[in-house]
Amino acid sequence: MSRVEFIKKLKALTFENTFNPYREKCRYFDADGAPVFRERILSKMLERAESRQLDAIWVGRDLGHRGGRRTGLALTDDVHFHDHLARWQIEMPRPTSGKLMPERTATAVWDILSRVEAPVFLWNVFPLHPHEPNNPFSNRAHTAMERKAGGVLLERLIELLRPRRLIGIGNDSFNTLIRLNIELPIIKIRHPSYGGQAEFKDQMTKLYHLKERDLFSPLIIDPQASIPPIVLDRPPARVLRLLSLRLFLGRR
């Protein structure tokens, strides 16, 4: 599938109670021509990524109403919009108007990505924004049918960009990736939401060697290895005992 065909299928993706930022315009927050801007940005980004040897595709769950719904970019909010474009040498106006809106997940992701020099492409299992009925500025988990449609596009994206490895951020992403017929190393990373920010940061900094010592390690599945290396996604018991002791002494 070519880049043009990929975007055509992405724009045609339609489900009830979802927002497609590459075809639809939000009447409250989008600037004039926002869907066109988002489509052009993604097209340029794909073009740049095709010509590079990607280290990885980082795969999240779906677009959020404070992030990708507005920017059209996975794991990216208004605050980090131009940072994302700069990584691919792209200059385009922001597709939203008004004040910048931050998103917690995007903030955690870009705290790491801003220190990663390797070329990384960001995407989601479901590439649209799923929301609750009659509440476009809410988030909901995507359905099995939506996940299936997103998985087809994700597989085409992987074939198009040919990354060295895949990084699933969260259980939904990781479980989708391991079901695909893809012969690439797949790495599971804790999602930064719901109290997972510290573990997400520790796993990512270890994966990209951004610091020497971490409490948590990612789970890695390498299909090329005879026995896939699996590192338990938790600190060793000795560390837990030390932490418990410190908490006990601190209360005395």
Side-chain angles (χ1 to χ4, degrees):
M1 180 183 292
S2 69
R3 179 177 71 256
V4 174
E5 292 171 327
F6 179 85
I7 292 179
K8 183 178 180 180
K9 287 187 178 295
L10 177 62
K11 287 179 64 178
L13 206 59
T14 303
F15 288 93
E16 188 177 6
N17 298 316
T18 64
F19 180 83
N20 187 326
Y22 314 101
R23 190 185 70 247
E24 300 178 68
K25 179 185 176 183
C26 173
R27 61 175 176 160
Y28 298 104
F29 297 113
D30 277 353
D32 291 339
V36 175
F37 289 153
R38 289 188 283 251
E39 178 188 348
R40 289 178 180 173
I41 290 167
L42 179 59
S43 179
K44 286 179 178 291
M45 208 166 279
L46 288 170
E47 181 182 12
R48 300 282 200 280
E50 279 185 280
S51 65
R52 305 279 296 277
Q53 176 54 60
L54 284 185
D55 170 71
I57 299 178
W58 292 9
V59 184
R61 193 180 74 175
D62 36 47
L63 300 180
H65 80 92
R66 298 178 65 93
R69 173 191 171 98
R70 298 167 62 89
T71 64
L73 300 172
L75 304 167
T76 304
D77 56 11
D78 289 341
V79 177
H80 300 94
F81 172 77
H82 288 293
D83 294 330
H84 197 158
L85 267 60
R87 287 184 70 91
W88 300 103
Q89 297 81 48
I90 297 172
E91 292 186 11
M92 289 284 287
R94 183 164 61 95
T96 52
S97 57
K99 66 179 183 179
L100 301 179
M101 184 174 289
E103 182 191 63
R104 288 185 180 181
T105 296
T107 299
V109 167
W110 280 91
D111 177 60
I112 295 295
L113 190 53
S114 63
R115 294 182 281 147
V116 174
E117 295 182 1
V120 169
F121 198 87
L122 304 182
W123 197 248
N124 283 315
V125 168
F126 184 60
L128 307 186
H129 168 230
H131 57 78
E132 299 292 347
N134 303 315
N135 187 2
F137 305 114
S138 64
N139 296 322
R140 66 168 173 83
H142 56 255
T143 65
M145 187 177 296
E146 291 166 344
R147 184 185 309 118
K148 182 177 180 180
V152 172
L153 277 176
L154 175 58
E155 197 164 0
R156 299 290 85 79
L157 179 71
I158 294 168
E159 293 172 357
L160 182 68
L161 300 185
R162 305 179 306 279
R164 186 169 68 88
R165 55 186 176 173
L166 303 169
I167 298 178
I169 301 176
N171 290 329
D172 288 338
S173 172
F174 178 74
N175 291 336
T176 298
L177 287 172
I178 61 177
R179 293 190 190 105
L180 299 181
N181 186 27
I182 300 294
E183 293 296 323
L184 288 173
I186 301 172
I187 302 170
K188 180 182 179 182
I189 296 291
R190 173 72 156 87
H191 197 283
S193 64
Y194 303 108
Q197 186 170 344
E199 192 171 346
F200 168 82
K201 182 178 180 180
D202 284 334
Q203 290 179 336
M204 280 297 205
T205 51
K206 180 178 182 67
L207 186 65
Y208 281 94
H209 308 290
L210 300 180
K211 63 180 182 180
E212 295 182 359
R213 187 171 180 272
D214 303 277
L215 291 178
F216 302 98
S217 298
L219 172 108
I220 302 174
I221 294 181
D222 187 347
Q224 303 302 323
S226 56
I227 301 178
I230 299 178
V231 183
L232 291 179
D233 200 15
R234 64 184 65 184
R238 183 174 59 85
V239 175
L240 289 175
R241 288 197 298 270
L242 287 173
L243 290 175
S244 299
L245 179 61
R246 288 181 181 179
L247 289 172
F248 173 76
L249 292 175
R251 294 194 185 103
R252 297 182 64 180

Coordinates of all heavy atoms in Angstrom, one line a residue, residues 94-178:
R94 N -0.5 25.4 13.2 CA -1.3 24.6 14.1 C -2.7 24.5 13.6 O -3.3 25.5 13.3 CB -1.2 25.2 15.5 CG -1.9 24.4 16.6 CD -1.4 24.8 18.0 NE -1.7 26.2 18.3 CZ -2.8 26.6 18.9 NH1 -3.7 25.8 19.4 NH2 -2.9 27.9 19.2
P95 N -3.3 23.3 13.6 CA -4.7 23.2 13.1 C -5.8 23.7 14.0 O -6.9 23.7 13.6 CB -4.8 21.7 12.8 CG -3.9 21.0 13.7 CD -2.7 22.0 13.9
T96 N -5.4 24.0 15.3 CA -6.4 24.5 16.2 C -6.2 25.9 16.5 O -5.1 26.5 16.3 CB -6.3 23.7 17.5 OG1 -5.0 23.7 18.0 CG2 -6.8 22.2 17.4
S97 N -7.2 26.6 17.0 CA -7.1 28.0 17.4 C -7.3 28.1 18.9 O -7.7 27.2 19.6 CB -8.2 28.8 16.7 OG -9.5 28.3 17.0
G98 N -7.0 29.3 19.4 CA -7.1 29.6 20.8 C -5.9 29.1 21.6 O -4.8 28.9 21.0
K99 N -6.0 29.0 22.9 CA -4.9 28.7 23.8 C -4.5 27.2 23.6 O -5.3 26.4 23.2 CB -5.2 28.9 25.2 CG -6.3 28.0 25.8 CD -6.6 28.3 27.3 CE -7.7 27.4 27.8 NZ -7.9 27.7 29.3
L100 N -3.2 27.0 23.9 CA -2.7 25.6 23.8 C -3.3 24.7 24.9 O -3.4 25.1 26.0 CB -1.2 25.6 23.9 CG -0.4 26.4 23.0 CD1 1.1 26.3 23.3 CD2 -0.6 26.0 21.5
M101 N -3.7 23.5 24.5 CA -4.3 22.6 25.4 C -3.3 21.4 25.7 O -3.0 20.7 24.7 CB -5.6 22.0 24.9 CG -6.3 21.1 25.9 SD -8.0 20.6 25.3 CE -8.9 22.2 25.5
P102 N -2.9 21.2 26.9 CA -2.0 20.1 27.2 C -2.7 18.8 27.4 O -3.9 18.8 27.8 CB -1.3 20.6 28.5 CG -2.3 21.4 29.1 CD -3.1 22.1 28.1
E103 N -2.0 17.7 27.3 CA -2.6 16.4 27.6 C -1.5 15.6 28.4 O -0.3 15.7 28.1 CB -2.9 15.6 26.3 CG -3.5 14.2 26.5 CD -3.5 13.4 25.3 OE1 -2.5 13.0 24.7 OE2 -4.6 13.0 24.9
R104 N -2.0 14.9 29.4 CA -1.0 14.2 30.3 C -0.2 13.2 29.6 O 1.0 13.1 29.8 CB -1.8 13.6 31.5 CG -2.3 14.6 32.5 CD -3.0 13.9 33.7 NE -3.5 14.8 34.7 CZ -4.1 14.5 35.8 NH1 -4.3 13.2 36.1 NH2 -4.6 15.4 36.6
T105 N -0.9 12.3 28.8 CA -0.1 11.3 28.2 C 0.9 11.8 27.2 O 2.0 11.4 27.2 CB -1.1 10.4 27.4 OG1 -2.0 9.7 28.3 CG2 -0.4 9.3 26.6
A106 N 0.5 12.9 26.4 CA 1.5 13.5 25.5 C 2.6 14.1 26.3 O 3.8 14.0 25.8 CB 0.7 14.5 24.7
T107 N 2.4 14.7 27.4 CA 3.4 15.3 28.2 C 4.5 14.3 28.6 O 5.7 14.5 28.6 CB 2.9 16.0 29.4 OG1 2.0 17.1 29.0 CG2 4.0 16.6 30.3
A108 N 4.0 13.1 29.1 CA 4.8 12.0 29.5 C 5.6 11.5 28.4 O 6.8 11.2 28.5 CB 4.0 10.9 30.2
V109 N 5.0 11.3 27.2 CA 5.6 10.7 26.1 C 6.7 11.7 25.6 O 7.9 11.2 25.3 CB 4.6 10.4 24.9 CG1 5.3 10.2 23.6 CG2 3.7 9.2 25.3
W110 N 6.4 12.9 25.5 CA 7.4 13.9 24.9 C 8.5 14.2 25.9 O 9.6 14.7 25.5 CB 6.7 15.1 24.4 CG 6.1 14.8 23.1 CD1 4.9 14.4 22.7 CD2 6.9 14.9 21.8 NE1 4.8 14.1 21.4 CE2 6.0 14.5 20.8 CE3 8.1 15.3 21.5 CZ2 6.4 14.5 19.5 CZ3 8.5 15.3 20.2 CH2 7.6 14.9 19.2
D111 N 8.3 14.0 27.2 CA 9.4 14.1 28.2 C 10.5 13.2 27.8 O 11.7 13.4 28.0 CB 8.8 13.9 29.6 CG 9.9 14.0 30.6 OD1 10.6 15.0 30.8 OD2 10.2 12.9 31.3
I112 N 10.1 12.0 27.3 CA 11.1 11.0 26.9 C 11.5 11.2 25.5 O 12.8 11.3 25.2 CB 10.5 9.6 27.0 CG1 10.2 9.2 28.5 CG2 11.4 8.5 26.4 CD1 11.4 9.1 29.4
L113 N 10.6 11.4 24.6 CA 10.9 11.5 23.2 C 11.8 12.7 22.8 O 12.7 12.6 21.9 CB 9.7 11.6 22.3 CG 9.8 11.4 20.8 CD1 10.6 10.2 20.4 CD2 8.5 11.5 20.1
S114 N 11.7 13.8 23.6 CA 12.6 14.9 23.4 C 14.0 14.6 23.6 O 14.9 15.4 23.2 CB 12.1 16.1 24.3 OG 12.3 15.7 25.7
R115 N 14.3 13.5 24.3 CA 15.7 13.1 24.6 C 16.2 11.9 23.8 O 17.3 11.5 23.9 CB 15.9 12.8 26.1 CG 15.6 14.0 27.0 CD 15.8 13.6 28.5 NE 14.7 13.0 29.0 CZ 14.8 12.0 29.9 NH1 15.9 11.6 30.4 NH2 13.7 11.4 30.4
V116 N 15.3 11.5 22.9 CA 15.6 10.3 22.0 C 16.0 10.8 20.7 O 15.2 11.5 20.0 CB 14.4 9.4 21.9 CG1 14.7 8.3 20.9 CG2 14.1 8.8 23.3
E117 N 17.2 10.5 20.2 CA 17.7 11.0 18.9 C 17.3 10.1 17.8 O 17.2 10.5 16.7 CB 19.2 11.1 19.0 CG 19.7 12.2 19.9 CD 21.2 12.4 19.9 OE1 21.9 11.6 19.1 OE2 21.8 13.2 20.7
A118 N 17.1 8.8 18.1 CA 16.7 7.9 17.0 C 15.4 8.2 16.4 O 14.5 8.7 17.1 CB 16.6 6.5 17.6
P119 N 15.2 8.0 15.1 CA 13.9 8.3 14.4 C 12.8 7.4 14.9 O 12.9 6.2 14.8 CB 14.2 8.1 12.9 CG 15.4 7.2 12.9 CD 16.2 7.5 14.1
V120 N 11.8 8.0 15.4 CA 10.6 7.3 16.0 C 9.3 7.8 15.3 O 9.2 9.0 15.2 CB 10.6 7.4 17.5 CG1 9.2 6.9 18.1 CG2 11.7 6.7 18.2
F121 N 8.4 6.9 15.0 CA 7.1 7.3 14.4 C 6.1 7.0 15.5 O 6.1 5.9 16.1 CB 6.8 6.6 13.1 CG 5.8 7.2 12.3 CD1 6.1 8.2 11.4 CD2 4.4 6.8 12.4 CE1 5.1 8.8 10.6 CE2 3.4 7.4 11.7 CZ 3.7 8.4 10.8
L122 N 5.1 7.9 15.6 CA 4.1 7.7 16.6 C 2.8 7.3 16.0 O 2.4 8.0 15.0 CB 3.9 9.0 17.5 CG 5.1 9.5 18.2 CD1 4.8 10.8 19.0 CD2 5.8 8.5 19.1
W123 N 2.1 6.3 16.5 CA 0.8 5.9 15.9 C -0.1 5.3 17.1 O 0.4 5.2 18.2 CB 1.0 4.9 14.8 CG -0.2 4.7 13.9 CD1 -1.0 3.6 13.8 CD2 -0.7 5.7 13.0 NE1 -2.0 3.9 12.9 CE2 -1.9 5.1 12.4 CE3 -0.4 7.0 12.7 CZ2 -2.6 5.8 11.5 CZ3 -1.1 7.7 11.8 CH2 -2.2 7.1 11.2
N124 N -1.3 5.0 16.7 CA -2.3 4.4 17.7 C -2.9 3.1 17.1 O -3.0 3.0 15.8 CB -3.4 5.4 18.0 CG -2.9 6.4 19.0 OD1 -2.3 6.1 20.0 ND2 -3.3 7.7 18.7
V125 N -3.3 2.2 17.9 CA -4.1 1.1 17.5 C -5.3 1.5 16.7 O -5.6 1.0 15.6 CB -4.5 0.2 18.7 CG1 -5.5 -0.9 18.3 CG2 -3.2 -0.5 19.3
F126 N -6.1 2.4 17.3 CA -7.2 3.0 16.6 C -6.9 4.4 16.3 O -6.7 5.2 17.2 CB -8.5 2.9 17.5 CG -9.7 3.3 16.8 CD1 -10.2 2.8 15.6 CD2 -10.5 4.4 17.4 CE1 -11.3 3.2 15.0 CE2 -11.6 4.8 16.8 CZ -12.1 4.2 15.6
P127 N -6.8 4.8 15.0 CA -6.3 6.1 14.7 C -7.3 7.3 14.7 O -6.9 8.4 14.3 CB -5.8 5.9 13.3 CG -6.7 4.9 12.7 CD -7.1 4.0 13.8
L128 N -8.5 7.1 15.2 CA -9.5 8.1 15.4 C -9.7 8.4 16.9 O -9.1 7.8 17.7 CB -10.8 7.7 14.7 CG -10.8 7.3 13.3 CD1 -12.2 7.0 12.8 CD2 -10.0 8.2 12.4
H129 N -10.5 9.5 17.1 CA -10.9 9.8 18.5 C -12.2 9.2 18.9 O -13.3 9.7 18.4 CB -10.9 11.3 18.7 CG -11.5 11.7 20.0 ND1 -12.5 12.7 20.1 CD2 -11.3 11.2 21.3 CE1 -12.9 12.8 21.4 NE2 -12.2 11.9 22.1
P130 N -12.3 8.2 19.7 CA -13.6 7.6 20.1 C -14.1 8.4 21.4 O -13.3 8.6 22.3 CB -13.2 6.2 20.5 CG -11.8 6.2 20.9 CD -11.1 7.4 20.2
H131 N -15.4 8.7 21.4 CA -15.9 9.5 22.5 C -17.3 8.9 22.9 O -17.9 8.1 22.2 CB -16.0 11.0 22.1 CG -16.9 11.2 20.9 ND1 -18.2 11.2 20.9 CD2 -16.5 11.5 19.6 CE1 -18.7 11.5 19.7 NE2 -17.7 11.7 18.9
E132 N -17.7 9.4 24.0 CA -19.1 8.9 24.5 C -20.2 9.6 23.7 O -20.0 10.7 23.1 CB -19.2 9.3 26.0 CG -18.2 8.7 26.9 CD -18.4 7.2 27.1 OE1 -19.4 6.7 26.7 OE2 -17.5 6.6 27.7
P133 N -21.3 8.9 23.6 CA -22.4 9.5 22.8 C -22.8 10.9 23.3 O -22.9 11.2 24.5 CB -23.6 8.5 23.0 CG -22.9 7.2 23.4 CD -21.7 7.6 24.1
N134 N -23.0 11.8 22.4 CA -23.4 13.2 22.7 C -22.4 14.0 23.5 O -22.7 15.0 24.1 CB -24.8 13.2 23.4 CG -25.8 12.5 22.6 OD1 -26.0 12.7 21.4 ND2 -26.6 11.6 23.2
N135 N -21.2 13.5 23.6 CA -20.1 14.2 24.3 C -18.8 14.1 23.6 O -18.0 13.3 23.9 CB -20.0 13.6 25.7 CG -19.0 14.4 26.6 OD1 -18.5 15.4 26.2 ND2 -18.8 13.9 27.8
P136 N -18.6 14.9 22.6 CA -17.4 14.8 21.7 C -16.1 15.1 22.4 O -15.1 14.7 22.0 CB -17.7 15.9 20.6 CG -18.7 16.8 21.2 CD -19.5 16.0 22.1
F137 N -16.2 15.8 23.6 CA -15.0 16.1 24.3 C -14.8 15.2 25.5 O -14.6 15.6 26.7 CB -15.0 17.6 24.7 CG -15.2 18.5 23.5 CD1 -16.3 19.3 23.4 CD2 -14.2 18.5 22.5 CE1 -16.5 20.1 22.3 CE2 -14.4 19.3 21.4 CZ -15.5 20.1 21.2
S138 N -15.0 13.9 25.2 CA -14.7 12.9 26.2 C -13.9 11.8 25.6 O -13.7 11.8 24.3 CB -16.1 12.3 26.7 OG -16.8 11.7 25.6
N139 N -13.4 10.9 26.3 CA -12.7 9.7 25.8 C -13.3 8.4 26.2 O -13.9 8.3 27.3 CB -11.2 9.7 26.3 CG -10.4 10.9 25.8 OD1 -10.6 11.4 24.7 ND2 -9.6 11.4 26.7
R140 N -13.3 7.5 25.4 CA -13.8 6.1 25.7 C -12.8 5.1 25.1 O -12.1 5.4 24.1 CB -15.2 5.9 25.2 CG -15.4 5.9 23.7 CD -16.7 5.3 23.2 NE -16.9 5.5 21.8 CZ -16.4 4.7 20.8 NH1 -15.7 3.6 21.2 NH2 -16.6 4.9 19.6
A141 N -12.9 3.9 25.5 CA -12.0 2.8 24.9 C -12.7 2.4 23.6 O -13.9 2.4 23.5 CB -12.0 1.6 25.9
H142 N -11.8 2.2 22.6 CA -12.4 1.8 21.3 C -13.0 0.3 21.4 O -12.6 -0.4 22.3 CB -11.3 1.8 20.2 CG -10.1 1.0 20.5 ND1 -8.9 1.6 20.9 CD2 -9.9 -0.3 20.5 CE1 -8.0 0.6 21.1 NE2 -8.5 -0.5 20.9
T143 N -13.9 0.0 20.5 CA -14.6 -1.3 20.5 C -13.7 -2.3 19.8 O -12.7 -2.0 19.1 CB -15.9 -1.2 19.8 OG1 -15.7 -0.8 18.4 CG2 -16.8 -0.1 20.5
A144 N -14.1 -3.6 19.9 CA -13.4 -4.6 19.2 C -13.5 -4.4 17.7 O -12.5 -4.7 17.0 CB -14.0 -6.0 19.5
M145 N -14.6 -3.9 17.2 CA -14.7 -3.7 15.7 C -13.8 -2.5 15.3 O -13.1 -2.6 14.3 CB -16.1 -3.4 15.4 CG -16.4 -3.2 13.9 SD -18.1 -2.9 13.5 CE -18.9 -4.4 14.1
E146 N -13.7 -1.5 16.1 CA -12.8 -0.4 15.8 C -11.3 -0.8 15.9 O -10.5 -0.4 15.1 CB -13.1 0.7 16.8 CG -14.4 1.4 16.6 CD -14.9 2.3 17.7 OE1 -14.3 2.2 18.9 OE2 -15.8 3.1 17.6
R147 N -11.0 -1.7 16.9 CA -9.7 -2.2 17.0 C -9.3 -3.0 15.8 O -8.1 -2.9 15.3 CB -9.5 -3.1 18.3 CG -8.1 -3.5 18.5 CD -8.0 -4.5 19.7 NE -8.7 -3.9 20.9 CZ -9.8 -4.4 21.5 NH1 -10.3 -5.6 21.0 NH2 -10.3 -3.9 22.5
K148 N -10.2 -3.8 15.3 CA -9.9 -4.6 14.1 C -9.6 -3.8 12.9 O -8.7 -4.0 12.2 CB -11.1 -5.6 13.8 CG -10.9 -6.5 12.7 CD -12.1 -7.4 12.5 CE -11.9 -8.4 11.3 NZ -13.0 -9.3 11.1
A149 N -10.4 -2.7 12.7 CA -10.2 -1.8 11.6 C -8.9 -1.1 11.7 O -8.1 -0.9 10.8 CB -11.3 -0.8 11.4
G150 N -8.6 -0.6 13.0 CA -7.3 0.0 13.2 C -6.1 -0.9 13.0 O -5.1 -0.4 12.6
G151 N -6.3 -2.2 13.4 CA -5.2 -3.1 13.3 C -4.8 -3.3 11.8 O -3.6 -3.5 11.5
V152 N -5.8 -3.3 10.9 CA -5.5 -3.5 9.5 C -4.6 -2.3 9.0 O -3.6 -2.5 8.3 CB -6.8 -3.5 8.7 CG1 -6.5 -3.5 7.2 CG2 -7.6 -4.8 9.0
L153 N -5.0 -1.1 9.4 CA -4.2 0.1 9.0 C -2.8 0.1 9.7 O -1.8 0.4 9.0 CB -4.9 1.4 9.4 CG -6.0 1.9 8.4 CD1 -6.7 3.1 8.9 CD2 -5.4 2.2 7.0
L154 N -2.8 -0.4 10.9 CA -1.5 -0.5 11.6 C -0.5 -1.4 10.9 O 0.7 -1.1 10.7 CB -1.7 -0.9 13.0 CG -0.5 -1.2 13.9 CD1 0.4 0.1 14.0 CD2 -0.9 -1.6 15.3
E155 N -1.1 -2.5 10.4 CA -0.3 -3.5 9.7 C 0.3 -2.9 8.4 O 1.4 -3.1 8.0 CB -1.1 -4.8 9.5 CG -0.2 -6.0 9.1 CD -0.9 -7.3 9.2 OE1 -2.1 -7.3 9.6 OE2 -0.3 -8.3 9.0
R156 N -0.6 -2.2 7.7 CA -0.2 -1.5 6.5 C 0.9 -0.5 6.7 O 1.9 -0.3 6.0 CB -1.3 -0.9 5.8 CG -2.5 -1.8 5.4 CD -2.1 -2.8 4.2 NE -1.4 -3.9 4.7 CZ -2.0 -5.0 5.2 NH1 -3.3 -5.0 5.4 NH2 -1.3 -6.1 5.6
L157 N 0.8 0.2 7.9 CA 1.7 1.3 8.2 C 3.1 0.6 8.5 O 4.1 1.2 8.1 CB 1.3 2.0 9.5 CG 2.2 3.1 10.0 CD1 2.2 4.3 9.0 CD2 1.8 3.6 11.4
I158 N 3.1 -0.5 9.2 CA 4.4 -1.2 9.5 C 5.1 -1.6 8.2 O 6.3 -1.5 8.1 CB 4.1 -2.4 10.5 CG1 3.6 -1.8 11.8 CG2 5.4 -3.2 10.6 CD1 3.0 -2.9 12.7
E159 N 4.3 -2.2 7.3 CA 4.8 -2.6 6.0 C 5.4 -1.4 5.2 O 6.4 -1.5 4.5 CB 3.8 -3.3 5.2 CG 3.3 -4.6 5.8 CD 2.1 -5.2 5.1 OE1 1.6 -4.5 4.1 OE2 1.7 -6.3 5.4
L160 N 4.7 -0.3 5.4 CA 5.1 0.9 4.6 C 6.4 1.5 5.2 O 7.3 1.9 4.4 CB 4.0 2.0 4.7 CG 4.3 3.3 3.9 CD1 4.3 3.1 2.4 CD2 3.1 4.3 4.3
L161 N 6.6 1.6 6.5 CA 7.7 2.3 7.1 C 8.8 1.3 7.5 O 10.0 1.8 7.7 CB 7.2 3.0 8.4 CG 6.1 4.1 8.2 CD1 5.8 4.8 9.5 CD2 6.6 5.1 7.1
R162 N 8.6 0.0 7.7 CA 9.6 -1.0 7.9 C 10.5 -0.6 9.1 O 11.7 -0.4 9.0 CB 10.5 -1.2 6.7 CG 9.7 -1.6 5.4 CD 10.6 -1.8 4.2 NE 11.4 -0.6 4.0 CZ 11.0 0.5 3.3 NH1 9.8 0.6 2.9 NH2 11.8 1.5 3.1
P163 N 10.0 -0.4 10.3 CA 10.8 -0.1 11.5 C 11.6 -1.2 11.9 O 11.4 -2.4 11.6 CB 9.7 0.3 12.5 CG 8.5 -0.5 12.1 CD 8.5 -0.6 10.6
R164 N 12.6 -1.0 12.8 CA 13.4 -2.0 13.3 C 12.7 -2.8 14.4 O 13.0 -4.0 14.6 CB 14.7 -1.4 13.9 CG 15.8 -2.4 14.4 CD 17.1 -1.7 14.7 NE 17.0 -0.8 15.8 CZ 17.2 -1.2 17.1 NH1 17.5 -2.4 17.3 NH2 17.1 -0.3 18.0
R165 N 11.8 -2.1 15.1 CA 11.1 -2.8 16.2 C 9.8 -2.0 16.5 O 9.6 -0.9 16.0 CB 11.9 -2.8 17.5 CG 12.5 -1.5 17.9 CD 13.4 -1.6 19.1 NE 14.0 -0.3 19.4 CZ 14.8 -0.1 20.5 NH1 15.1 -1.1 21.3 NH2 15.3 1.1 20.8
L166 N 8.9 -2.6 17.3 CA 7.6 -2.0 17.6 C 7.5 -1.9 19.1 O 7.9 -2.8 19.9 CB 6.5 -2.9 17.1 CG 6.5 -3.2 15.6 CD1 5.5 -4.3 15.3 CD2 6.2 -1.9 14.8
I167 N 7.0 -0.8 19.6 CA 6.9 -0.5 21.0 C 5.4 -0.3 21.3 O 4.8 0.7 20.9 CB 7.7 0.7 21.5 CG1 9.2 0.4 21.2 CG2 7.4 1.0 22.9 CD1 10.1 1.5 21.6
G168 N 4.8 -1.2 22.1 CA 3.4 -1.1 22.4 C 3.3 -0.4 23.8 O 3.7 -0.9 24.8
I169 N 2.7 0.7 23.8 CA 2.5 1.5 25.0 C 1.1 1.2 25.6 O 0.1 1.6 25.2 CB 2.6 3.0 24.8 CG1 4.0 3.4 24.2 CG2 2.4 3.8 26.0 CD1 4.1 4.8 23.8
G170 N 1.1 0.3 26.6 CA -0.1 -0.2 27.3 C -0.5 -1.5 26.8 O -0.1 -2.0 25.7
N171 N -1.4 -2.2 27.5 CA -1.8 -3.5 27.2 C -2.6 -3.6 25.9 O -2.4 -4.6 25.1 CB -2.7 -4.1 28.3 CG -2.0 -4.3 29.6 OD1 -0.8 -4.7 29.6 ND2 -2.6 -4.1 30.8
D172 N -3.5 -2.7 25.6 CA -4.3 -2.7 24.4 C -3.4 -2.7 23.2 O -3.5 -3.5 22.2 CB -5.2 -1.6 24.3 CG -6.4 -1.7 25.3 OD1 -6.7 -2.8 25.7 OD2 -7.0 -0.7 25.6
S173 N -2.4 -1.9 23.2 CA -1.5 -1.7 22.1 C -0.6 -3.0 21.9 O -0.5 -3.6 20.8 CB -0.6 -0.5 22.3 OG 0.5 -0.5 21.3
F174 N 0.0 -3.5 23.0 CA 0.8 -4.6 23.0 C 0.1 -5.9 22.5 O 0.6 -6.6 21.7 CB 1.4 -4.9 24.4 CG 2.3 -6.1 24.5 CD1 3.6 -6.1 23.9 CD2 1.9 -7.2 25.1 CE1 4.4 -7.2 24.0 CE2 2.7 -8.4 25.2 CZ 3.9 -8.4 24.6
N175 N -1.1 -6.1 23.1 CA -1.9 -7.2 22.7 C -2.3 -7.2 21.2 O -2.4 -8.2 20.5 CB -3.2 -7.3 23.5 CG -2.9 -7.7 25.0 OD1 -1.8 -8.3 25.3 ND2 -3.7 -7.3 25.9
T176 N -2.6 -6.0 20.7 CA -2.9 -5.9 19.2 C -1.7 -6.2 18.4 O -1.7 -6.9 17.4 CB -3.4 -4.5 18.9 OG1 -4.6 -4.2 19.6 CG2 -3.6 -4.3 17.4
L177 N -0.5 -5.7 18.8 CA 0.7 -5.9 18.0 C 1.1 -7.4 18.0 O 1.5 -7.9 16.9 CB 1.9 -5.1 18.6 CG 1.8 -3.6 18.4 CD1 2.9 -2.9 19.3 CD2 2.0 -3.2 17.0
I178 N 0.9 -8.1 19.1 CA 1.4 -9.5 19.0 C 0.4 -10.4 18.2 O 0.8 -11.5 17.9 CB 1.5 -10.1 20.5 CG1 0.2 -10.1 21.2 CG2 2.6 -9.4 21.2 CD1 0.3 -10.7 22.6

